[in-house]
Amino acid sequence: MVEGDVSFLSNDVLESVRGRAGEYDRTNTFFHEDLEELRAAGYLAAFVPQEFGGSGLSLEDMTQEQMRLAGAAPATALAINMHHVWVGVARAVHRTGDSSMDFVLRDAARGELFAFGVSEAGNDLVLFGSDTRATPDGHGGCAFFGTKIFTSLSPAWTRLGTFGVDNTDPQNPINVWGFVDRDPAGVTIADDWDTLGMRASFSCTTTLHGALAPAERIVRRLPPGPSADPMIFGIFSTFEVLLASVYTGVAQRALDVAVATVQRRTSKATGTTYDQDPAIRWKLADAAIALDAIYPQITLAARDLDAGVDRGAMWFPQLSAIKSRATETALDVVNKAVRVSGGSSYFNRSELSRLYRDVLAGLFHPSDDESVHNAWATTLLGPTT
């Protein structure tokens, strides 16, 4: 298969996934059937380079695939995103000549499912500091002790990428990044996922109580704080671009549903369908114009990352801005889609109702609006004194 020419998400797969999304949401259950269908289609290895046994899709390709999947089942796409991000990080590290994360690529090609164990309650340091303890095992590995939140794919992941702080030398703490297995002796997953939206993602709280990452799966030891390390940049860049893609796909689906709805509904007052109403036409056009501006931003960022373009210090603020604009635009587009579609969209049985709840999750992913503005202010004006 040739890179860039492969699409795993056929219309049949998308319709099958779409057909289950409402039931997963209604019953608050994980997307086991979707996962098996995507696995059978080779989607878990789609982003893995061909030399490691995958299909070699580029990041630009993956943005398109994830948009399409999100339009069918947002929660499924959001959760699978986390697996693809780790694959993207390993690709980025490998391109620098560093083989420390090649095992991620090999494991993903063999069917392992990767998840993120990074977020912690009340910790806005995100990638730069952790409340989790990383205790050396004496053999080059580390045992992790702490609690992680928003761990998508909780019922199904087989490898968890996580990090904590090694305080063996209190004067020189070290952030240790590694991958642990799904071992009940060191990992406990709470059954606590009952949210407004993105329900099928099952992003449960995960407690690490001695979860061991052996030496061969320790991928970084870094001082706390901001870092230009290729792995940290790989996490940030791949996460922001693919996350923006998911919410853009949600917005496009909402717009498509709204267009079909107003073409179908007829006004008693005028006798014409609502697609002839000037106010509705303006609202939908306004939504489409805003959404149209997001696509080239995602595409260009992904293309530049694929090509190794060096934007220097501008990469971080620009990537965070893409995520912020995509999620805020998606929220606005879905809101307009609901407004023009009438009272039926208020019922839980409506797809638009589910999309409205799902799109709200975009507000809570990093980078949040405050950090985006702070990054740009620092870029423009320098740090505060």
Side-chain angles (χ1 to χ4, degrees), residues 112-311:
E112 302 291 350
L113 185 64
F114 286 83
F116 261 81
V118 172
S119 297
E120 297 170 338
N123 183 0
D124 58 358
L125 294 171
V126 194
L127 300 177
F128 303 144
S130 176
D131 295 327
T132 295
R133 187 171 83 255
T135 303
D137 69 351
H139 303 285
C142 270
F144 294 92
F145 299 83
T147 300
K148 304 294 184 176
I149 60 173
F150 296 128
T151 311
S152 298
L153 300 167
S154 284
W157 63 260
T158 61
R159 299 278 192 273
L160 183 71
T162 191
F163 85 111
V165 181
D166 176 3
N167 283 309
T168 302
D169 179 357
Q171 302 304 312
N172 294 287
I174 295 294
N175 287 344
V176 181
W177 289 81
F179 288 79
V180 304
D181 286 333
R182 190 185 187 88
D183 182 353
V187 179
T188 299
I189 299 171
D191 184 13
D192 62 352
W193 190 247
D194 187 10
T195 53
L196 179 68
M198 293 295 187
R199 288 161 66 81
S201 71
F202 256 66
S203 306
C204 300
T205 300
T206 303
T207 302
L208 306 176
H209 42 86
L212 180 65
E216 64 272 17
R217 291 197 202 148
I218 297 295
V219 295
R220 283 299 185 274
R221 288 182 169 88
L222 301 170
S227 173
D229 185 271
M231 190 201 74
I232 299 298
F233 179 69
I235 294 173
F236 188 80
S237 58
T238 313
F239 182 88
E240 298 290 75
V241 169
L242 288 182
L243 191 75
S245 303
V246 166
Y247 286 96
T248 299
V250 173
Q252 184 63 61
R253 175 60 181 175
L255 183 61
D256 292 344
V257 171
V259 168
T261 299
V262 300
Q263 290 175 331
R264 188 171 61 244
R265 296 177 66 224
T266 301
S267 167
K268 294 287 186 181
T270 65
T272 60
T273 51
Y274 278 97
D275 61 341
Q276 302 303 303
D277 184 302
I280 287 176
R281 292 173 69 87
W282 190 93
K283 281 188 173 68
L284 287 176
D286 196 48
I289 290 167
L291 186 57
D292 188 57
I294 301 300
Y295 285 104
Q297 296 177 54
I298 294 173
T299 297
L300 180 59
R303 191 172 296 165
D304 281 358
L305 289 166
D306 283 329
V309 172
D310 183 7
R311 297 190 189 178

Side-chain angles (χ1 to χ4, degrees), residues 7-175:
S7 177
F8 292 92
L9 301 180
S10 67
N11 289 335
D12 287 344
V13 169
L14 289 175
E15 287 309 309
S16 179
V17 168
R18 191 193 314 281
R20 290 185 287 262
E23 182 67 10
Y24 289 148
D25 176 77
R26 186 184 68 79
T27 58
N28 192 35
T29 49
F30 183 67
F31 58 94
H32 288 288
E33 294 90 347
D34 288 1
L35 181 59
E36 289 312 305
E37 192 161 356
L38 293 170
R39 189 190 298 277
Y43 195 54
L44 298 186
F47 199 18
V48 176
Q50 291 178 335
E51 64 187 284
F52 288 96
S55 296
L57 267 66
S58 66
L59 180 58
E60 184 180 351
D61 295 330
M62 291 306 301
T63 65
Q64 302 303 308
E65 297 288 350
Q66 283 295 92
M67 285 178 194
R68 298 178 70 222
L69 182 57
T76 296
L78 180 64
I80 290 292
N81 223 47
M82 305 309 164
H83 170 83
H84 289 317
V85 170
W86 273 130
V87 172
V89 174
R91 284 168 55 106
V93 169
H94 178 77
R95 283 201 303 267
T96 70
D98 180 348
S99 62
S100 63
M101 295 189 71
D102 286 358
F103 70 89
V104 172
L105 302 174
R106 288 190 292 268
D107 284 354
R110 295 183 188 122
E112 302 291 350
L113 185 64
F114 286 83
F116 261 81
V118 172
S119 297
E120 297 170 338
N123 183 0
D124 58 358
L125 294 171
V126 194
L127 300 177
F128 303 144
S130 176
D131 295 327
T132 295
R133 187 171 83 255
T135 303
D137 69 351
H139 303 285
C142 270
F144 294 92
F145 299 83
T147 300
K148 304 294 184 176
I149 60 173
F150 296 128
T151 311
S152 298
L153 300 167
S154 284
W157 63 260
T158 61
R159 299 278 192 273
L160 183 71
T162 191
F163 85 111
V165 181
D166 176 3
N167 283 309
T168 302
D169 179 357
Q171 302 304 312
N172 294 287
I174 295 294
N175 287 344

